[in-house]
Amino acid sequence: MIAEYYRGEITLRRFRVLAEWALQQVADGKPYTMTDRLLWLLVRRIEENTVVVGKALGNKKLRLPKKHPDYPWSESEDDSRIQIGGRGEHSSDEVMDFLDSK
């Protein structure tokens, strides 16, 4: 498919449509576009960044799961995934008090 595009046999639009179709086929038939894939990879990069910044600030317990699920609906083998926006063991009231204090 890539070679056909470079040889000028198919247009860029057709290449994009074929690529998205191929991505859907490997995504268990669920609607999943290139944009979704890039956004899902961005989630992984945010997790990595959170660990690096957290360790730099002194939280040595943080660790990045070794394997990132291929798709958002996949089950993770490692249940210690970082939850972006998670409140940890704090209650909703504690979180709201913290946010209001800043």
Side-chain angles (χ1 to χ4, degrees):
M1 180 170 57
I2 295 173
E4 292 170 337
Y5 169 71
Y6 280 112
R7 287 191 301 254
E9 296 171 4
I10 60 174
T11 64
L12 180 59
R13 180 179 176 161
R14 185 170 180 92
F15 175 74
R16 180 188 55 82
V17 169
L18 288 171
E20 287 183 356
W21 176 83
L23 188 56
Q24 271 188 333
Q25 299 311 306
V26 298
D28 303 326
K30 294 183 170 65
Y32 196 62
T33 64
M34 297 290 244
T35 303
D36 297 325
R37 180 70 181 150
L38 290 173
L39 289 172
W40 186 236
L41 290 173
L42 184 61
V43 168
R44 177 61 170 187
R45 298 303 169 249
I46 291 171
E47 288 177 340
E48 292 170 354
N49 189 45
T50 301
V51 170
V52 169
V53 170
K55 284 187 175 186
L57 293 175
N59 188 346
K60 303 301 179 195
K61 294 180 184 178
L62 285 178
R63 66 183 184 89
L64 187 67
K66 292 181 181 171
K67 184 172 185 311
H68 187 68
D70 291 332
Y71 309 106
W73 56 85
S74 302
E75 292 294 325
S76 174
E77 294 175 9
D78 188 359
D79 61 354
S80 65
R81 289 177 49 88
I82 299 166
Q83 223 178 3
I84 306 295
R87 63 181 187 197
E89 298 174 2
H90 302 285
S91 71
S92 296
D93 292 331
E94 291 173 329
V95 171
M96 291 308 294
D97 289 341
F98 174 78
L99 292 173
D100 289 339
S101 69
K102 296 286 177 174

